[in-house]
Amino acid sequence: MNDLLHSEDFGCSDTPKFICLHGLLGSSRNWRSVAKGLSDRFQVFALDLRNHGKSFHSHDASIAETSKDVLDWMDRMGVEQAVVCGHSLGGKVAMRLACSHPDRVRALIVADIAPRDYPQEHHSPTLDALLDLDLDSLSERKEAEESLSAKIPNWAFRQFLLTNLQFEDGKGRWLANLSVLRAQLSSISSNPLGQDDRFNKPTLFIRGGRSGYVRSEHFDSIRGHFPLAAIETVNDAGHDLHVENRPVFLNLVSDFLADKLDGKPTLPAKG
């Protein structure tokens, strides 16, 4: 088994490093447009987390082990330090990595997730719907989309989910390790940090204005773990803010990095 995470890279190798981590049932491809937008200043790496995309499958889907995968990837790729940016599940992995190995994380960016427990019911109906698909009876993606339409009526969300489905010679298979992700959803949905975890370097949390994942009552918890955290809102976006309003997301990230990467800690901005 190849246990090195699959990655895509953008930009020049002689520029600072920037790592992107996707959310549940996503992949490196979700970050391509953002990566291209940052590639004039950074060498950007978009990773497939374990049990996702082209990376390896494992019976362990925990945040702790997934963050170790990213550290191992950095070691084996010769990336001493990087800005680490994660969305949703990837944000949890990024938080865990930053708190466990602050020397390897130059700055942290977390997109629409907070260090808290989330109800696993956010994702269980989706995973159940995918697992209920009878792939043996399907020969192309269009048939899968039609079969999912009743349980997942949102067209755009169905398209996103079906990026996990690959057909070869008329036979379908899931790229994501759905059964393990479903079985360990409670662990995946839990707070990745302990009470004493801290990251005392520049940190940016960006939330979607139409998303309920990060609310004002979570700000104290965020700043308890990340004392230098700035918290910004992309008003015209939901949970997938880096896709739904990429220009504003990129502007927030670019302004934050331009201001913080001189290494001088500043007072956190008010969310």
Side-chain angles (χ1 to χ4, degrees), residues 3 12 21 38 51 69 81 84 86 89 119 121 124 127 158 160 177 180 187 210 221 240 250 254:
D3 60 354
C12 299
L21 306 175
L38 294 169
N51 294 314
D69 293 337
Q81 193 178 61
V84 179
L89 171 63
E121 289 76 15
S124 53
L127 284 162
R158 285 202 310 275
F160 163 73
N177 194 354
V180 166
S187 172
R210 297 198 304 266
S221 175
D240 295 321
L250 270 172
S254 297

Side-chain angles (χ1 to χ4, degrees), residues 28 30 38 43 48 81 90 120 123 125 131 147 151 155 170 183 189 215 218 229 245 260 266 270:
S28 54
N30 303 144
L38 294 169
Q43 184 178 18
D48 285 349
Q81 193 178 61
Q120 67 180 59
H123 300 294
L131 285 165
S147 297
K151 293 182 179 179
W155 179 86
S189 300
R215 300 190 297 271
H218 305 142
N245 199 333
K260 302 299 184 185
T266 60
K270 293 184 178 181

Side-chain angles (χ1 to χ4, degrees), residues 236-270:
D236 190 22
H239 183 54
D240 295 321
L241 65 174
H242 59 309
V243 176
E244 297 173 33
N245 199 333
R246 185 177 68 253
V248 171
F249 181 86
L250 270 172
N251 285 339
L252 289 172
V253 169
S254 297
D255 290 349
F256 166 75
L257 294 175
D259 181 49
K260 302 299 184 185
L261 289 193
D262 60 3
K264 297 177 182 177
T266 60
L267 293 175
K270 293 184 178 181

Side-chain angles (χ1 to χ4, degrees), residues 131-206:
L131 285 165
D132 285 345
L133 273 184
D134 181 9
L135 295 185
D136 290 337
S137 68
L138 306 174
S139 59
E140 59 182 18
R141 191 183 306 271
K142 180 176 173 55
E143 294 175 344
E145 182 187 351
E146 292 172 352
S147 297
L148 281 175
S149 60
K151 293 182 179 179
I152 303 176
N154 185 294
W155 179 86
F157 188 42
R158 285 202 310 275
Q159 302 310 305
F160 163 73
L161 295 172
L162 288 171
T163 61
N164 288 282
L165 182 58
Q166 184 177 74
F167 279 93
E168 295 179 357
D169 300 323
K171 184 174 180 60
R173 72 177 185 92
W174 293 111
L175 297 176
N177 194 354
L178 298 180
S179 58
V180 166
L181 294 173
R182 179 63 179 92
Q184 298 188 27
L185 193 54
S186 177
S187 172
I188 293 170
S189 300
S190 65
N191 188 345
L193 302 182
Q195 183 176 354
D196 296 329
D197 282 318
R198 298 288 184 278
F199 179 71
N200 293 300
K201 288 184 177 180
T203 303
L204 174 64
F205 277 73
I206 310 177

Side-chain angles (χ1 to χ4, degrees), residues 24-170:
L24 185 67
L25 298 177
S27 70
S28 54
R29 64 187 291 171
N30 303 144
W31 284 106
R32 286 174 181 169
S33 295
V34 169
K36 291 174 183 176
L38 294 169
S39 62
D40 60 335
R41 184 178 177 189
F42 296 90
Q43 184 178 18
V44 185
F45 297 95
L47 277 56
D48 285 349
L49 301 176
R50 63 166 57 197
N51 294 314
H52 290 83
K54 297 180 181 179
S55 287
F56 63 91
H57 285 191
S58 170
H59 67 280
D60 189 342
S62 67
I63 304 298
E65 286 302 309
T66 305
S67 71
K68 290 178 185 177
D69 293 337
V70 178
L71 182 66
D72 182 54
W73 178 92
M74 293 176 71
D75 288 342
R76 292 161 69 178
M77 295 293 289
V79 177
E80 292 297 324
Q81 193 178 61
V83 176
V84 179
C85 175
H87 169 248
S88 199
L89 171 63
K92 290 187 173 188
V93 175
M95 286 189 271
R96 181 66 270 158
L97 177 65
C99 289
S100 297
H101 300 278
D103 57 315
R104 306 298 296 275
V105 179
R106 192 177 179 193
L108 174 67
I109 301 169
V110 179
D112 212 55
I113 202 76
R116 70 179 187 96
D117 294 330
Y118 285 85
Q120 67 180 59
E121 289 76 15
H122 280 188
H123 300 294
S124 53
T126 297
L127 284 162
D128 288 341
L130 299 182
L131 285 165
D132 285 345
L133 273 184
D134 181 9
L135 295 185
D136 290 337
S137 68
L138 306 174
S139 59
E140 59 182 18
R141 191 183 306 271
K142 180 176 173 55
E143 294 175 344
E145 182 187 351
E146 292 172 352
S147 297
L148 281 175
S149 60
K151 293 182 179 179
I152 303 176
N154 185 294
W155 179 86
F157 188 42
R158 285 202 310 275
Q159 302 310 305
F160 163 73
L161 295 172
L162 288 171
T163 61
N164 288 282
L165 182 58
Q166 184 177 74
F167 279 93
E168 295 179 357
D169 300 323

